[in-house]
Amino acid sequence: MQTKTNGSNDGRQWARSDATRQALLTAALQVFADRGYTEAGIADIVKLSGVSVGSLYHHYGGKAGLYLALWEELTGEQETRAVNTVAAARKSGVSDPIALFIAGARTYLGVCWERREAARLFHGGEGPPGFSLMRRKRARVWLGANTRLLRGQDGDHAAQVLSLVLTTVIGEAGREIALADDEASATAIIDEVCRILQRLAGEEPSAPA
């Protein structure tokens, strides 16, 4: 009986901690979006979240930790959903590397719209010290993954350049999609970007459905 009670208590404690973290992230995103990273204050985040200052520092260590956690959450979702889309396309029989790349890109860009408030924040370029370096490192990893998806090998400069061009287009397009006025506009941008990616990759864009 004691084991069951402890397990139940552990579960409730975990749930409370998860709810606390989510409340802090939600409040931090709103405060960062309204004021920017530099002007955002811990007191504002605490007040909006209803969570204590001590809990904020316990879970995230301060304002910078919250900002980076939001960034990791967004980029993690973008990458995971893009990878899952590519895997599903492969499973359905798609083998052309460009088609797989564009399928992943479409999903990635879709997240830019779905999570547009966060995407706008990080495209703004502001952040804690060291954030720019972290973004560059993450971009290099993403570029390498895209090069491999396009079946490029080490030393394959043509594939590396193609990956760089296509990845840069996607990154810049994400900014415009996050700033779109409505879902229809965002969808139109995504469709056009995918056609541009096909042309840059040397393939004739398919007719819209």
Side-chain angles (χ1 to χ4, degrees):
M1 293 296 293
Q2 184 67 36
T3 300
K4 291 182 180 179
T5 300
N6 288 343
S8 178
N9 287 340
D10 289 346
R12 286 195 295 269
Q13 184 176 357
W14 181 89
R16 286 195 297 271
S17 294
D18 187 59
T20 296
R21 287 191 292 269
Q22 191 55 55
L24 286 166
L25 289 174
T26 300
L29 177 57
Q30 183 173 332
V31 173
F32 288 144
D34 290 344
R35 303 192 178 189
Y37 176 79
T38 301
E39 297 300 322
I42 292 291
D44 300 315
I45 296 170
V46 166
K47 181 178 180 180
L48 186 60
S49 68
V51 175
S52 70
V53 174
S55 290
L56 186 155
Y57 279 98
H58 171 73
H59 288 292
Y60 295 106
K63 186 169 73 169
L66 277 165
Y67 188 92
L68 296 177
L70 286 166
W71 179 66
E72 290 287 354
E73 183 181 67
L74 174 64
T75 55
E77 181 176 353
Q78 289 171 322
E79 292 166 4
T80 298
R81 288 178 56 180
V83 167
N84 289 343
T85 294
V86 170
R90 280 200 176 108
K91 189 174 181 179
S92 71
V94 178
S95 59
D96 176 63
I98 301 301
L100 291 170
F101 181 92
I102 292 174
R106 182 179 288 277
T107 295
Y108 176 94
L109 293 172
V111 177
C112 289
W113 170 250
E114 293 171 21
R115 300 289 307 279
R116 51 194 174 275
E117 189 172 22
R120 290 170 189 162
L121 173 64
F122 300 119
H123 279 303
E126 193 182 12
F131 178 61
S132 295
L133 179 60
M134 290 180 63
R135 289 188 66 173
R136 287 196 295 272
K137 288 181 177 178
R138 190 68 161 258
R140 284 197 294 271
V141 172
W142 184 30
L143 180 60
N146 285 344
T147 300
R148 291 190 293 275
L149 179 58
L150 294 168
R151 295 180 180 171
Q153 305 296 324
D154 289 342
D156 185 348
H157 297 300
Q160 290 171 359
V161 171
L162 176 60
S163 177
L164 175 61
V165 170
L166 299 184
T167 301
T168 300
V169 169
I170 294 169
E172 291 302 312
R175 184 197 313 271
E176 297 306 312
I177 290 162
L179 293 171
D181 293 329
D182 49 44
E183 185 174 3
S185 298
T187 300
I189 295 171
I190 292 171
D191 289 342
E192 183 58 30
V193 168
C194 289
R195 285 191 287 269
I196 290 170
L197 292 174
Q198 287 180 301
R199 287 196 293 269
L200 289 173
E203 292 198 352
E204 193 64 29
S206 56

